[in-house]
Amino acid sequence: MNQELYKKLLELSPDYKMNYLPSISVDCVVFGFHKASLKVLLTRLKGYEDWMLPGGYLQKDEDLEKSASRILEERTGAKDIFLTQFKSFGKVNRSEMAFDEWPDDLWHKQRFLSIAYYALIDFEQVTPSIDFYSNACEWKDIDELPGMIMDHREILDKALLQLRRDLNYKPVGLNLLPEKFTMPELQKLYEVILGKELNRGNFYRKMKRYDILTKLDETRKGGAHKAPDLYSFNLDTYKKALESGFQESW
Amino acid sequence: MNQELYKKLLELSPDYKMNYLPSISVDCVVFGFHKASLKVLLTRLKGYEDWMLPGGYLQKDEDLEKSASRILEERTGAKDIFLTQFKSFGKVNRSEMAFDEWPDDLWHKQRFLSIAYYALIDFEQVTPSIDFYSNACEWKDIDELPGMIMDHREILDKALLQLRRDLNYKPVGLNLLPEKFTMPELQKLYEVILGKELNRGNFYRKMKRYDILTKLDETRKGGAHKAPDLYSFNLDTYKKALESGFQESW
């Protein structure tokens, strides 16, 4: 147990009791995509070897939906990230192993549910920074995750499952790809998120049906082969699809 | 304000403070399907004109995932209903209008988040019953909903949206249709849930791709037209699809 951290949390406990709702914590799963690689933003508490999702608590006068981005910015420095709530985690003993050794006089030792949020951003746009409670904050490759405390690995896995499911009714790619991109580049984004290779013809037809792409009057020069067509997102149809979801299935 | 209800809640407040987690409530959206009609199970508190979702609180020694079905049974008599968590609702003032007139000494008047669950069942299998707190518990038609308290209409609407989205990766129909059914009957179930008519050919092809149906060696006799083919669910592939989700899109 890190004594410096314990002293600080004990000192803060009355303030937390006064200004934060009991029983409720908020955790953030931030996926970062850049150049065909998928990562997740993790922090590490002082005195711990295992990593955790950036998280915090809900203020008594704060709407739940506003808490996640505030907490994420306080813990990691990542600003203006739009997070989507996907599930709450509430096993009775979910934090027991991780905080057993902490004294009971800490506000932070009570039973908390975790209300979990996820986001997918370009990880080059965020420079992780540590706060008082942590000694590390880093992007970790999704295929080489370190040990994680409590049920945070389960939360992360569920977030990835949800992100993949959401691809069935929400468009993805804006702010992750350059303004002009090729169909293979868009397909690569989907393949990295889904963790598997996709059939080129099926992918092309599916994207056409979604009607979110504008084919540009230019091609990418430079390769030995036929120059590939360039596309950009049609912001009108893309945003409409974000709001109402693809209805192509039915 | 109903005085009988107030007296009971005041009497129960110390017990709730001792045995239930603060800040957290659980609400259940139970959709009922039967013979081409979709309903939802609502209750009404004593002294209120508007209706509410059946809901309750999380016990200190209870896993969140187990709370919803316990609460549903206590409030409505509906047993062994498997509920799926879909979203938590946490606006600061979500209960203000409904409970303004209640005295502050009630445990029940604090700020609660609602962790919401939904289920889809055959409504003929449930006979709604009232508990001490309510004066009514009824199946209401989804197209003719009464006024609802707090943000419960928003929760219900989100549940219906989620149910519709879940049709994209989860099978539906087991325990809702008779053991042997025709393709038009299955299509009607989807149309009632989705609230719109579907193209017959597309629907047929989609169901074939899902690979959850067994075509039986019998037809339904009796009509003037060609006797329609009968199907049953293939329990192996159906349950596998329930667990891992349809991957047909990718």
Side-chain angles (χ1 to χ4, degrees):
Chain A
M1 187 173 58
N2 181 289
Q3 287 302 320
E4 188 190 26
L5 181 57
Y6 169 61
K7 252 182 76 180
K8 180 79 168 184
L9 292 179
L10 188 62
E11 182 191 315
L12 285 174
S13 281
D15 173 55
Y16 272 90
K17 190 172 177 181
M18 172 96 74
N19 297 311
Y20 289 79
L21 279 190
S23 314
I24 296 165
S25 63
V26 173
D27 288 305
C28 305
V29 184
V30 182
F31 295 110
F33 175 84
H34 191 73
K35 289 190 179 166
S37 116
L38 189 64
K39 298 178 187 286
V40 64
L41 188 59
L42 299 181
T43 71
R44 196 174 56 193
L45 276 184
K46 284 173 180 169
Y48 283 80
E49 280 190 24
D50 287 339
W51 293 71
M52 67 191 302
L53 300 166
Y57 307 101
L58 179 61
Q59 293 166 355
K60 285 184 179 172
D61 60 356
E62 178 182 45
D63 286 338
L64 175 62
E65 292 304 311
K66 288 184 185 155
S67 63
S69 56
R70 171 189 57 80
I71 286 165
L72 184 65
E73 181 170 349
E74 287 175 6
R75 300 289 327 267
T76 70
K79 282 186 196 196
D80 300 325
I81 308 293
F82 176 75
L83 291 131
T84 301
Q85 191 200 115
F86 70 96
K87 193 170 165 61
S88 298
F89 295 79
K91 287 212 184 84
V92 173
N93 302 320
R94 54 184 292 274
S95 61
E96 235 171 43
M97 290 290 288
F99 297 110
D100 254 2
E101 59 170 13
W102 292 85
D104 288 335
D105 50 0
L106 287 184
W107 183 87
H108 308 72
K109 211 196 162 181
Q110 62 183 289
R111 176 182 172 190
F112 287 102
L113 263 65
S114 168
I115 301 182
Y117 287 76
Y118 86 87
L120 175 59
I121 62 170
D122 181 341
F123 69 68
E124 290 255 306
Q125 289 169 6
V126 170
T127 309
S129 65
I130 59 172
D131 63 3
F132 179 84
Y133 311 101
S134 41
N135 59 23
C137 177
E138 296 173 12
W139 288 106
K140 296 289 187 185
D141 201 288
I142 209 79
D143 294 322
E144 293 167 11
L145 289 171
M148 296 180 70
I149 68 169
M150 296 170 51
D151 54 359
H152 283 203
R153 178 58 193 260
E154 182 192 348
I155 297 176
L156 198 168
D157 288 344
K158 281 273 163 51
L160 187 56
L161 189 66
Q162 189 63 45
L163 170 62
R164 288 169 175 169
R165 281 183 175 163
D166 287 353
L167 289 189
N168 284 319
Y169 68 88
K170 277 201 297 199
V172 69
L174 196 64
N175 303 325
L176 295 178
L177 295 172
E179 196 192 329
K180 301 171 183 181
F181 50 86
T182 65
M183 196 62 88
E185 286 167 350
L186 182 60
Q187 180 172 338
K188 187 69 193 175
L189 168 64
Y190 276 79
E191 289 179 337
V192 167
I193 295 174
L194 291 166
K196 64 180 179 188
E197 292 190 7
L198 301 175
N199 176 282
R200 187 173 159 176
N202 288 346
F203 182 81
Y204 181 83
R205 280 187 292 277
K206 197 171 182 76
M207 284 300 138
K208 283 286 183 191
R209 280 203 307 274
Y210 281 172
D211 190 28
I212 53 170
L213 298 178
T214 303
K215 188 173 168 182
L216 303 175
D217 278 338
E218 42 183 321
T219 54
R220 182 166 298 160
K221 307 294 193 313
H225 302 281
K226 178 179 174 294
D229 290 326
L230 282 171
Y231 294 83
S232 67
F233 288 114
N234 177 331
L235 292 186
D236 279 351
T237 55
Y238 188 101
K239 282 174 181 168
K240 210 176 142 208
L242 254 194
E243 276 162 31
S244 54
F246 296 131
Q247 295 292 320
E248 64 124 19
S249 308
W250 309 103
Chain B
M1 186 173 60
N2 181 290
Q3 286 302 319
E4 187 189 25
L5 181 57
Y6 169 61
K7 252 183 75 181
K8 179 78 168 185
L9 292 180
L10 188 62
E11 181 191 316
L12 286 174
S13 280
D15 173 54
Y16 272 91
K17 190 173 176 179
M18 173 96 73
N19 296 311
Y20 289 78
L21 280 191
S23 315
I24 296 165
S25 63
V26 172
D27 287 306
C28 305
V29 184
V30 183
F31 295 109
F33 175 84
H34 190 73
K35 289 190 179 165
S37 115
L38 188 64
K39 297 177 188 289
V40 65
L41 189 59
L42 299 182
T43 71
R44 196 174 56 194
L45 275 185
K46 285 173 179 168
Y48 283 80
E49 280 189 26
D50 287 339
W51 294 70
M52 67 191 304
L53 300 166
Y57 307 101
L58 179 62
Q59 293 167 354
K60 286 184 179 171
D61 59 357
E62 179 181 44
D63 285 339
L64 175 63
E65 291 305 310
K66 288 184 185 155
S67 64
S69 56
R70 171 189 58 79
I71 287 166
L72 183 64
E73 181 171 350
E74 286 175 5
R75 300 290 326 267
T76 71
K79 282 185 196 196
D80 300 326
I81 308 292
F82 175 75
L83 291 131
T84 301
Q85 191 200 117
F86 69 95
K87 192 170 165 62
S88 298
F89 296 80
K91 286 210 183 85
V92 172
N93 302 320
R94 56 185 291 274
S95 61
E96 235 172 41
M97 291 290 288
F99 297 110
D100 253 1
E101 58 170 16
W102 292 86
D104 288 335
D105 49 1
L106 288 182
W107 183 85
H108 309 71
K109 212 195 161 181
Q110 63 183 286
R111 176 183 172 191
F112 286 103
L113 263 65
S114 168
I115 301 184
Y117 286 77
Y118 87 87
L120 176 59
I121 62 170
D122 181 342
F123 69 68
E124 289 255 306
Q125 289 170 6
V126 170
T127 309
S129 65
I130 61 171
D131 63 2
F132 178 84
Y133 312 101
S134 42
N135 58 22
C137 178
E138 295 172 15
W139 288 106
K140 297 290 185 186
D141 202 288
I142 209 80
D143 294 321
E144 295 168 9
L145 289 171
M148 297 181 70
I149 67 170
M150 296 170 49
D151 54 358
H152 283 203
R153 178 59 193 261
E154 183 192 347
I155 297 176
L156 199 167
D157 288 344
K158 282 272 163 54
L160 188 56
L161 189 66
Q162 190 62 46
L163 170 62
R164 288 170 175 169
R165 282 182 175 164
D166 287 353
L167 289 188
N168 284 320
Y169 68 88
K170 277 201 296 201
V172 69
L174 196 65
N175 304 322
L176 295 178
L177 294 173
E179 197 193 328
K180 300 170 182 181
F181 51 85
T182 65
M183 197 62 89
E185 286 168 351
L186 182 62
Q187 182 172 337
K188 187 70 195 173
L189 168 64
Y190 276 80
E191 288 179 337
V192 167
I193 295 173
L194 291 165
K196 64 179 179 188
E197 293 189 7
L198 301 175
N199 175 282
R200 188 173 158 173
N202 287 347
F203 182 81
Y204 182 84
R205 280 187 291 277
K206 197 171 182 76
M207 284 301 138
K208 284 286 184 192
R209 278 205 307 275
Y210 281 173
D211 190 28
I212 53 170
L213 298 177
T214 303
K215 188 174 170 182
L216 304 175
D217 278 338
E218 42 184 323
T219 54
R220 181 167 296 162
K221 308 294 191 312
H225 302 283
K226 179 179 173 294
D229 290 325
L230 283 171
Y231 294 83
S232 67
F233 288 114
N234 177 331
L235 292 187
D236 278 352
T237 54
Y238 188 101
K239 282 174 183 170
K240 210 176 143 209
L242 255 194
E243 277 162 30
S244 55
F246 297 132
Q247 295 292 319
E248 64 126 19
S249 307
W250 309 106

